Amino acid sequence: MTTNTILAIVTAYCHCAACCGKAGQPTASGLMPVVGRTIAGPRMVPFGAVVTIPGIGTRRVEDRASKSYDARWDVFMKSHREAKKFGVKTMRITVVN
């Protein structure tokens, strides 16, 4: 098991068409996203890796952001309003592979 703490850009998304292109779709890993569990991570991080973000908690990499935002981490939220309110943050996160 490898642990790596990094400074990263963290954003948020929900299950709507504005965030995902088409509402109600499964994640890139094939699972349906779950609030409090799902995060989209960079392609270099394997599905199933665990991420801890101070003030947010622990999430599992189950999804991918678009290729143009591949370096970002995207936390799954329950609503578009909540995701927009979260905004864009630079945060220190810990990744466990």
Side-chain angles (χ1 to χ4, degrees), residues 23-78:
Q25 296 297 301
T27 64
S29 68
L31 300 171
M32 292 305 289
V34 175
V35 174
R37 183 186 78 195
T38 304
I39 193 166
R43 284 162 175 71
M44 66 181 203
V45 179
F47 289 130
V50 175
V51 179
T52 301
I53 305 172
I56 295 174
T58 301
R59 301 290 186 271
R60 187 177 341 141
V61 177
E62 296 178 343
D63 207 356
R64 299 285 184 228
S66 67
K67 288 183 181 184
S68 57
Y69 295 108
D70 192 41
R72 290 189 183 184
W73 296 83
D74 213 5
V75 180
F76 184 72
M77 302 275 181
K78 67 181 174 181

